[in-house]
Amino acid sequence: MTESTEFSDQKQIFGHPQGLFYLFFAELWERFSFYGMRALLTLYMIDVIFKALAERDYATAAVYSSYGSLVYASTVIGGKLSDKILGMRNSIFLGGILMSIGHFVLAIENDIAFFLALSLIIVGNGFFKPNISTFVGTLYEKGDPKKDSGFTIFYMGINIGGWVAPLLCGWLAATYGWHYGFGLAGIGMLTGLIVFWRGIQNNVFGDRGLPPNEYVLEKKVLGVKQGILVPVLAVLAAPLIALLLSSYKAVATDGMFADQNIVNIIFTGIGIAVLAYLAYEMYKANVKERKELFVAVLLTFFMTIFWGFHELSGSVITLFAARNIDLEGIMSAAQTNSLNSMFIIILAIPISMMWTWLSKKKWNPRTPYKFGLGLLFAGISFYVLALSGGSANESGFVPFTYLLLMYFLLSVGELFMSPVGLSKMTDLAPMRLIAFIMGVWFLSSAFAFQIVGFIGKQLAIESTDGDVSGFATLSVYTDGFMLIAKYALGAGVIVLLASPLIKKLMGKVH
Ligand code: GLN
């Protein structure tokens, strides 16, 4: 992006730059495709891909966790390539096209197509997701107080997609077949791209999001122009990732399950490398920066724990809904994936108004307290789900109200942590490290999926005679939820106890 970007001549809608609304709808449709597909993913693997295996739950948990880890880890590479070479516009187009192809390939009923599709979505999301979020930031001048509410509006777009998509894709999958559900996700992604393209046509972005300079795309590496090399490498990466993901299928077919697989090992490596690099940066930094960096890492770590439980929604909780919740006449198990986003839409504005109100009274809790409370909310939400076992009917199914209450509490927790943390990262990271720290923040979701995989494997139910439900599965889940509740509550208490100290380290940052 060039320095000449103007802020004052942007057309305004509802007091925000017109461009925000194009990005809002583009991201709404991208998340529509992402969450529509996610709602079907676990059930599709259980019912189709791994159907013949007694260990179908285990294999599903393993693939789901690797997919989730890679889909968020790829954002670090996508962000970097956009900064250095493609620019945000090209990255968003490239990512969007790869994701739509991925969703359409999912509509083909075939194992190879399945793993290739997941890989295309992983690579595509890496280019799309970080860049559209950064693009929002460029619409506002540094320090503009409207920026926060701009991001809240954008977060609403994300969740409108996340709310509607599981309902529609879940309905299509149940009524006409899985592939119609996946196909609709693909159409959603294409719609997002068209909205973004219209924004460029209508010139609402000025000269934002262009490559860093005019020559960079033309510059040759290994005799190929960089502007061509990056998309080609991105496409070539997909079959390699597919190979990684499908190794589970081979392992599963052999009936031998290794707890350590290659994606776990890669993530342990990334974790060690990131921590070592951060230690080096902290060593180089002055005392104030060192303290702030330490807090940024700490908050990211707490966020990882939270997402690790939260992201169970697409795996273990969807399975619990399918096998143990009385959904008769309400919705399908896939559709329960819409509940989190529904509560975010209802609660986002009241909670952000509550922070403003508390600030005026000088009672607004500092960030670490909000994080501690967020983890406590997660703990209570799983406690509610654990208690549901006591109200099971004669077939081992529990009332839907428990799930509804659980998602309500979990969404409150999310709003105490996720948007607050995002804005704190930009305050805590020294200028030279902002991009890297944002990458680390996205990695928190990637690492969280390793936790999701671990829990999913612990709660995997083996069955040689088809899928199981009712009393055969109830206590496995409720005992698991009780354990998760204890860990989350314990983590929340530890964070609250450490908060006075963390607050001191944060200095003036609220
Ligand atoms: N629900 C949010 C989104 O889709 C955050 C998800 C996450 O980071 N795990 O953007």
Side-chain angles (χ1 to χ4, degrees):
M1 195 191 57
T2 51
E3 291 300 317
S4 65
T5 299
E6 281 295 328
F7 293 97
S8 52
D9 60 1
Q10 295 188 97
K11 268 207 203 128
Q12 306 281 310
I13 300 180
F14 303 127
H16 285 275
Q18 198 187 7
L20 176 70
F21 296 93
Y22 283 89
L23 298 178
F24 171 96
F25 282 108
E27 175 65 341
L28 185 161
W29 283 111
E30 184 268 333
R31 289 286 103 180
F32 177 98
S33 75
F34 187 85
Y35 284 115
M37 173 273 199
R38 197 195 75 163
L40 307 180
L41 188 57
T42 287
L43 296 171
Y44 179 68
M45 284 196 270
I46 298 273
D47 284 353
V48 180
I49 301 287
F50 295 123
K51 190 180 173 59
L53 298 175
E55 301 88 349
R56 63 182 78 82
D57 279 20
Y58 192 103
T60 298
V63 174
Y64 185 82
S65 135
S66 298
Y67 163 73
S69 288
L70 293 170
V71 94
Y72 278 105
S74 64
T75 57
V76 180
I77 303 173
K80 202 99 215 123
L81 286 172
S82 165
D83 283 351
K84 297 268 173 241
I85 302 171
L86 293 184
M88 291 181 284
R89 291 184 192 191
N90 290 326
S91 304
I92 289 170
F93 274 118
L94 174 62
I97 291 168
L98 291 175
M99 282 181 89
S100 354
I101 299 174
H103 288 300
F104 289 127
V105 172
L106 258 185
I108 304 169
E109 201 161 338
N110 171 302
D111 279 11
I112 299 175
F114 174 73
F115 290 110
L116 189 64
L118 291 190
S119 311
L120 285 163
I121 296 169
I122 287 169
V123 181
N125 190 63
F127 283 101
F128 192 101
K129 177 83 168 150
N131 291 307
I132 195 139
S133 316
T134 319
F135 213 137
V136 175
T138 67
L139 300 176
Y140 300 87
E141 217 159 345
K142 212 175 157 63
D144 184 345
K146 286 220 179 107
K147 194 169 174 170
D148 269 7
S149 65
F151 269 106
T152 307
I153 295 174
F154 187 68
Y155 209 68
M156 294 288 263
I158 288 177
N159 284 291
I160 293 173
W163 169 51
V164 179
L167 294 177
L168 285 182
C169 296
W171 170 74
L172 273 178
T175 317
Y176 297 101
W178 292 106
H179 303 289
Y180 289 90
F182 290 130
L184 182 65
I187 294 173
M189 184 63 252
L190 273 187
T191 314
L193 271 186
I194 294 170
V195 172
F196 184 63
W197 178 72
R198 291 290 302 164
I200 292 177
Q201 294 283 303
N202 295 341
N203 197 25
V204 297
F205 303 124
D207 53 7
R208 294 169 178 79
L210 296 171
N213 62 57
E214 347 170 1
Y215 317 106
V216 65
L217 295 180
E218 301 295 317
K219 196 178 150 199
K220 287 191 174 169
V221 174
L222 304 169
V224 188
K225 288 180 186 166
Q226 293 196 114
I228 295 177
L229 190 66
V230 174
V232 168
L233 288 181
V235 171
L236 290 180
L240 287 182
I241 298 174
L243 222 59
L244 267 185
L245 288 177
S246 63
S247 60
Y248 293 105
K249 178 87 187 184
V251 174
T253 316
D254 283 351
M256 287 168 17
F257 288 98
D259 253 333
Q260 279 304 330
N261 60 66
I262 208 141
V263 179
N264 293 143
I265 296 168
I266 293 173
F267 269 87
T268 313
I270 296 177
I272 293 170
V274 168
L275 285 179
Y277 183 70
L278 277 168
Y280 166 73
E281 284 293 346
M282 277 191 221
Y283 167 77
K284 273 198 334 195
N286 64 35
V287 178
K288 179 172 170 285
E289 281 182 351
R290 191 172 301 158
K291 283 184 188 165
E292 292 184 343
L293 267 178
F294 182 69
V295 176
V297 173
L298 220 49
L299 294 182
T300 308
F301 177 70
F302 301 150
M303 199 68 236
T304 306
I305 300 174
F306 180 84
W307 287 135
F309 300 142
H310 181 287
E311 291 288 355
L312 285 169
S313 47
S315 70
V316 169
I317 298 172
T318 300
L319 282 181
F320 180 63
R323 293 168 174 171
N324 286 102
I325 295 185
D326 185 3
L327 294 171
E328 192 68 36
I330 305 173
M331 53 172 61
S332 69
Q335 289 176 323
T336 60
N337 277 276
S338 69
L339 296 172
N340 168 231
S341 283
M342 179 187 86
F343 282 122
I344 296 286
I345 295 168
I346 298 172
L347 296 167
I349 293 176
I351 289 187
S352 87
M353 278 163 67
M354 179 174 86
W355 300 142
T356 319
W357 182 77
L358 287 172
S359 284
K360 282 194 191 128
K361 303 236 162 222
K362 300 214 168 4
W363 289 339
N364 191 8
R366 299 274 300 258
T367 303
Y369 290 103
K370 287 181 182 154
F371 269 56
L373 292 171
L375 282 164
L376 286 188
F377 272 110
I380 302 168
S381 74
F382 277 92
Y383 189 66
V384 166
L385 218 48
L387 289 185
S388 70
S391 310
N393 65 16
E394 64 288 348
S395 325
F397 283 77
V398 307
F400 173 67
T401 348
Y402 283 95
L403 188 71
L404 201 64
L405 183 57
M406 180 268 178
Y407 270 121
F408 170 79
L409 293 163
L410 193 65
S411 307
V412 175
E414 178 178 343
L415 286 167
F416 271 50
M417 296 178 80
S418 173
V420 178
L422 191 64
S423 84
K424 287 316 127 188
M425 287 304 115
T426 49
D427 294 338
L428 289 167
M431 245 352 238
R432 68 192 153 87
L433 287 179
I434 280 197
F436 177 69
I437 292 292
M438 289 308 265
V440 174
W441 181 252
F442 268 122
L443 274 182
S444 72
S445 296
F447 281 104
F449 273 92
Q450 295 291 301
I451 302 178
V452 171
F454 176 79
I455 298 175
K457 288 172 187 171
Q458 303 302 312
L459 303 185
I461 293 157
E462 265 190 48
S463 155
T464 41
D465 50 0
D467 207 7
V468 279
S469 64
F471 283 112
T473 55
L474 185 62
S475 64
V476 175
Y477 290 123
T478 50
D479 290 354
F481 295 149
M482 189 56 96
L483 210 58
I484 294 169
K486 285 181 184 159
Y487 277 112
L489 288 172
V493 170
I494 292 172
V495 175
L496 284 177
L497 290 176
S499 287
L501 197 70
I502 304 174
K503 195 178 82 178
K504 269 203 194 115
L505 292 173
M506 289 177 80
K508 286 209 174 63
V509 178
H510 204 276

